[in-house]
């Protein structure tokens, strides 16, 4: 639920708002090993805000989460721009 995602976001990232996804790598080294939590309700809200479909937004969120597991961050404006470019390019390359 959005409330559960907000609690995890606040506890682990010190962000006091609900989020669509949170990724927890299982290693300090970039890999695909980790836990990913996704909140469908927030994904739907974002899809509506971005005038996108739920399906497309969910696929992008999954790509975004996997990028986090591999060490890509979005904690600064520059890193966010890089993350957005990577996730959009991967989405396009996969013809999703």
């Amino acid at each position: 639920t959005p409330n559960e995602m907000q609690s995890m976001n606040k506890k682990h990232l010190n962000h006091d708002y609900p989020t669509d996804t949170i990724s927890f790598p299982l290693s300090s080294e970039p890999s695909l090993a980790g836990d990913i939590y996704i909140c469908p309700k927030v994904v739907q809200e974002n899809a509506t805000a971005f005038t996108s479909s739920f399906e497309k937004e969910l696929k992008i969120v999954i790509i975004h989460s996997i990028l986090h597991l591999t060490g890509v961050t979005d904690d600064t404006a520059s890193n966010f721009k890089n993350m957005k470019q990577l996730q959009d390019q991967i989405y396009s390359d996969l013809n999703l």
Side-chain angles (χ1 to χ4, degrees):
T1 69
N3 288 340
E4 292 168 318
M5 291 298 279
Q6 183 169 350
S7 293
M8 282 196 299
N9 204 14
K10 185 174 182 180
K11 178 179 179 180
H12 298 286
L13 300 173
N14 204 28
H15 300 151
D16 193 12
Y17 51 84
T19 187
D20 50 8
T21 184
I22 298 178
S23 303
F24 296 101
L26 293 179
S27 169
S28 60
E29 297 297 317
S31 74
L32 293 179
D35 294 322
I36 295 172
Y37 294 85
I38 296 174
C39 182
K41 183 168 180 148
V42 176
V43 171
Q44 180 61 61
E45 290 169 358
N46 290 344
T48 300
F50 302 141
T51 59
S52 179
S53 70
F54 174 80
E55 182 178 301
K56 178 179 181 182
E57 189 64 23
L58 180 59
K59 290 173 183 177
I60 289 172
V61 164
I62 292 168
I63 292 167
H64 182 95
S65 300
I66 292 169
L67 286 170
H68 272 306
L69 293 180
T70 64
V72 180
T73 63
D74 58 0
D75 55 345
T76 66
S78 176
N79 288 346
F80 179 83
K81 181 179 176 183
N82 181 55
M83 171 72 85
K84 177 99 172 83
Q85 288 174 337
L86 283 170
Q87 71 190 29
D88 291 349
Q89 185 62 53
I90 292 168
Y91 181 86
S92 176
D93 288 349
L94 293 174
N95 294 311
L96 298 172

